[in-house]
Amino acid sequence: MLIPASKLFSNKILLLALWASCFFIPALHAQDAITTTSFLRAAQESRQVESDSANLSFLEDYNYNLPLLRDVQLRTETRDFFLNRQEYTIRIKPNSLSAISRQKKVYQNKIEEVRIENQINFNEELENRYLLLVDYIFIDKLVELYTESQLQLKDKLHLLGQKVYDTDFDVKDLIDTEESLFSVNSKLNDLNEERSIKQSLLLLFLNKGEDDSIEINSNDLIKPQQVAEVSISSLKTENLEVSLQKLKLKTLEREMRLSTARSNQIFDYFQAKYGGRNTVIFEEEFSLGLGINLPFFGNSRKNKGDYYFEKLRKESKLNETLYKIDADQKLAQNEFRRAITNYQSLKKQIDESSVASLLETYKGMEGVSPLLLLKLKILQHKKKIEELKAQQQMYQSYIKVLAQEGILFQEPLLNYLSATLESIE
């Protein structure tokens, strides 16, 4: 039997297309799989961190020292408009050594303030990445469970539809199943939308475009039991917000000392004056001058008043920060303990539940209603969803309490979502 040439040609085109699809389709659907460690490590390359680092480098390289000479003036004065009797004066105003030393300390304090503020920004960036990872990982798992729950409820509706005309048909069960399916569909839509939002944030943090795709490899995720056994020890290092407020108070004190050093400067200026030729041959009019500041405390009274007012304001801010941090730490610890208790209580109920044993028993028996087996599977699946939600709350509170205690940012930086505590530096 002869095959038309046109058909042979079309078959070759089809085979060529299939062959090409083997190469291009995987490329089109390929995703960038990244680990939690690599995602957290990328926090050091974020735009905010790079900007803060560049600003700090500029401030450190800037020459902030007071010059030895505060002012240099050249003055001239005419006498009867005769050039040979023109007077010239050079006046030099120095900075005191005390002012030079205190200016250096003030600027060093301000650089340290910027450094601490940059560290606070980095810590916020790191904490946000942790919480985003937790949300994305668990939302992804919840989507899978709710999708499976959706299929189970559809199967149940199908089985109930086959029993509509039976004498023992339960209408209420059908209505409840439809409502449950509606609720699951609604929840699944919300989760998919939330997952899409979280994925956009992941791409944003990684400086990728919206058209890119991403996949989080969570194989090394810390186990729930490990999280539940974490002991939050007291932090030895001081909270950065407290350190910043104390440093600002110290900077204010040094600024006041700088202002005092300037106002207490005894020597105001030195000057040399040349007054033109004298009437006596070979003699010139040349003189030296010295300006001395007399003690007068009225000028510094306002500065001291402003200093004490600002000092009281900063001390109040420091006490407020200490109180807030202590309250936030206690709240985070309570939420973490409560999340652990809720998870362990729910886990114990699931482990002691007879649903799993009944399901295994009924599977090995003949004549058991498929609808009964499906109901047991649905009930078991609901418990899995509740357990996963409890896990998510525990992981979120775990990250928050580590951040609140400052453990999350202790050096060397570690991945506290990793079971092996990988380094992220």
Side-chain angles (χ1 to χ4, degrees):
M1 179 179 180
L2 296 176
I3 301 175
S6 59
K7 191 170 183 179
L8 283 173
F9 180 76
S10 62
N11 288 338
K12 288 182 179 180
I13 294 296
L14 179 60
L15 289 172
L16 183 61
L18 290 173
W19 175 79
S21 66
C22 294
F23 293 91
F24 291 104
I25 290 178
L28 290 173
H29 295 281
Q31 291 183 330
D32 293 331
I34 63 171
T35 63
T36 57
T37 300
S38 60
F39 180 72
L40 294 172
R41 187 178 291 127
Q44 299 173 349
E45 302 173 359
S46 66
R47 295 175 182 175
Q48 180 66 48
V49 172
E50 289 182 349
S51 175
D52 289 344
S53 178
N55 293 337
L56 183 61
S57 297
F58 171 78
L59 292 175
E60 289 176 337
D61 294 338
Y62 181 73
N63 184 9
Y64 51 83
N65 295 322
L66 279 179
L68 186 60
L69 301 181
R70 184 173 78 253
D71 191 18
V72 178
Q73 297 178 350
L74 174 62
R75 300 182 178 186
T76 182
E77 183 177 351
T78 182
R79 296 176 60 184
D80 300 330
F81 297 99
F82 290 105
L83 292 178
N84 60 349
R85 300 180 66 186
Q86 190 83 3
E87 294 183 354
Y88 300 94
T89 305
I90 294 180
R91 176 172 293 188
I92 299 174
K93 295 183 178 181
N95 280 309
S96 68
L97 296 178
S98 176
I100 293 174
S101 174
R102 296 186 189 282
Q103 162 67 14
K104 184 175 182 179
K105 292 178 179 179
V106 167
Y107 201 88
Q108 287 174 343
N109 269 29
K110 289 186 177 294
I111 290 179
E112 187 62 26
E113 286 180 19
V114 174
R115 183 180 287 107
I116 294 178
E117 289 173 351
N118 292 353
Q119 186 63 40
I120 291 173
N121 291 337
F122 173 72
N123 291 355
E124 290 179 355
E125 173 82 14
L126 192 58
E127 182 182 0
N128 290 336
R129 285 175 180 257
Y130 268 105
L131 294 175
L132 178 59
L133 279 175
V134 170
D135 288 341
Y136 183 80
I137 289 171
F138 280 94
I139 288 173
D140 201 46
K141 292 181 178 180
L142 283 172
V143 167
E144 293 181 5
L145 290 181
Y146 273 102
T147 302
E148 187 176 348
S149 180
Q150 183 186 56
L151 296 175
Q152 289 177 344
L153 290 172
K154 287 181 178 180
D155 290 341
K156 184 181 177 183
L157 283 176
H158 178 71
L159 292 176
L160 287 173
Q162 294 177 348
K163 294 180 174 292
V164 172
Y165 299 105
D166 292 354
T167 55
D168 59 345
F169 177 69
D170 190 353
V171 178
K172 185 177 181 303
D173 191 13
L174 178 65
I175 295 173
D176 290 343
T177 304
E178 288 185 347
E179 289 181 352
S180 298
L181 181 59
F182 176 79
S183 177
V184 167
N185 288 338
S186 177
K187 183 64 178 178
L188 196 54
N189 289 335
D190 292 341
L191 286 172
N192 281 319
E193 184 176 354
E194 191 173 358
R195 182 173 62 175
S196 178
I197 293 174
K198 300 297 182 184
Q199 186 169 358
S200 297
L201 289 174
L202 287 171
L203 293 171
L204 180 63
F205 278 136
L206 292 172
N207 295 324
K208 294 181 178 291
E210 289 288 339
D211 296 333
D212 296 327
S213 58
I214 190 173
E215 180 182 350
I216 299 296
N217 182 0
S218 58
N219 294 334
D220 191 36
L221 189 68
I222 186 172
K223 303 299 185 227
Q225 187 173 356
Q226 289 178 274
V227 175
E229 293 174 352
V230 168
S231 176
I232 305 299
S233 58
S234 58
L235 185 64
K236 295 181 180 179
T237 57
E238 193 174 53
N239 183 278
L240 286 175
E241 289 288 351
V242 174
S243 299
L244 181 61
Q245 295 301 326
K246 288 183 177 180
L247 186 60
K248 287 185 176 181
L249 195 59
K250 191 173 182 180
T251 303
L252 178 65
E253 181 181 350
R254 288 186 168 179
E255 286 177 339
M256 183 58 196
R257 290 179 180 178
L258 173 61
S259 176
T260 302
R262 285 174 169 171
S263 62
N264 291 341
Q265 184 171 341
I266 297 176
F267 297 105
D268 185 36
Y269 65 86
F270 300 93
Q271 74 174 25
K273 182 177 180 182
Y274 172 71
R277 293 184 177 276
N278 202 311
T279 54
V280 181
I281 301 176
F282 302 117
E283 291 187 7
E284 310 290 344
E285 289 188 357
F286 184 79
S287 64
L288 296 176
L290 175 65
I292 298 177
N293 291 317
L294 298 177
F296 179 70
F297 302 104
N299 292 334
S300 61
R301 186 176 301 166
K302 179 180 180 302
N303 292 338
K304 288 184 177 180
D306 293 340
Y307 162 71
Y308 287 121
F309 176 80
E310 188 66 17
K311 181 181 178 182
L312 290 174
R313 193 179 70 84
K314 289 187 180 298
E315 287 177 345
S316 176
K317 178 69 174 177
L318 174 60
N319 293 331
E320 180 184 344
T321 302
L322 287 169
Y323 174 80
K324 182 178 183 301
I325 288 174
D326 183 60
D328 289 344
Q329 287 178 345
K330 290 179 179 178
L331 180 62
Q333 290 174 2
N334 290 335
E335 288 182 354
F336 183 47
R337 285 193 291 265
R338 185 167 57 250
I340 292 175
T341 302
N342 291 341
Y343 168 73
Q344 291 177 337
S345 176
L346 183 60
K347 186 73 168 59
K348 184 179 179 181
Q349 292 178 17
I350 293 174
D351 292 340
E352 295 177 354
S353 176
S354 58
V355 174
S357 59
L358 281 175
L359 185 59
E360 291 299 321
T361 303
Y362 286 157
K363 282 181 179 179
M365 296 174 60
E366 295 183 2
V368 179
S369 170
L371 183 59
L372 177 59
L373 292 175
L374 187 56
K375 286 181 179 180
L376 290 173
K377 288 181 180 179
I378 291 174
L379 182 58
Q380 189 180 44
H381 199 69
K382 284 183 178 179
K383 293 182 181 295
K384 287 183 180 179
I385 292 176
E386 294 304 317
E387 181 186 1
L388 189 62
K389 289 180 179 179
Q391 282 185 25
Q392 183 179 9
Q393 291 179 353
M394 184 173 66
Y395 276 67
Q396 287 174 336
S397 60
Y398 162 67
I399 294 300
K400 289 178 181 179
V401 75
L402 289 180
Q404 199 62 51
E405 294 290 334
I407 298 174
L408 199 66
F409 318 118
Q410 281 184 340
E411 295 183 353
L413 293 174
L414 304 175
N415 179 7
Y416 288 94
L417 285 178
S418 169
T420 56
L421 295 180
E422 293 184 54
S423 173
I424 60 175
E425 289 187 335

